[in-house]
Amino acid sequence: MHFWAPEIDPSHPMDCTQPERYAIRRLDNASFLAIEANDQRLLEVGAASEAYLFHTHEAALRAAQELNQTGRGPVDVVKIEWEPETTAP
């Protein structure tokens, strides 16, 4: 199934089909949330590049709602502009 959008360049149709990424951001201090590697606890980080990135908006929303409901907020979900790494030819 093909979807078309006006911003898609017909000569490069895959340019607008990069995966989306979402992060959780604290509303009180604008930091992002990451997951600590050793014990899986939440950490506050200053940059979106260090944050835990969700692959779907729905998953990020579920996590943010749980954090807000359990008193670990206030947090919200933000879309991260994802720049895929490129390698030189």
Side-chain angles (χ1 to χ4, degrees):
M1 180 176 282
H2 177 72
F3 294 95
W4 180 84
E7 64 275 5
I8 294 178
D9 178 1
S11 60
H12 301 97
M14 297 305 287
D15 285 351
C16 296
T17 58
Q18 301 301 321
E20 294 181 345
R21 299 289 186 261
Y22 300 89
I24 295 178
R25 188 171 201 174
R26 293 195 56 82
L27 296 176
D28 53 359
N29 63 11
S31 64
F32 293 91
L33 296 183
I35 298 175
E36 205 274 322
N38 293 331
D39 60 7
Q40 302 293 305
R41 65 184 170 93
L42 292 178
L43 296 175
E44 292 185 21
V45 294
S49 60
E50 301 170 350
Y52 179 82
L53 299 179
F54 292 85
H55 294 274
T56 65
H57 187 246
E58 293 78 14
L61 280 177
R62 281 192 304 270
Q65 288 172 343
E66 182 178 334
L67 291 169
N68 285 327
Q69 290 172 353
T70 59
R72 295 184 280 173
V75 296
D76 199 5
V77 173
V78 294
K79 184 175 180 181
I80 304 298
E81 294 299 324
W82 185 254
E83 293 292 329
E85 293 182 20
T86 59
T87 56

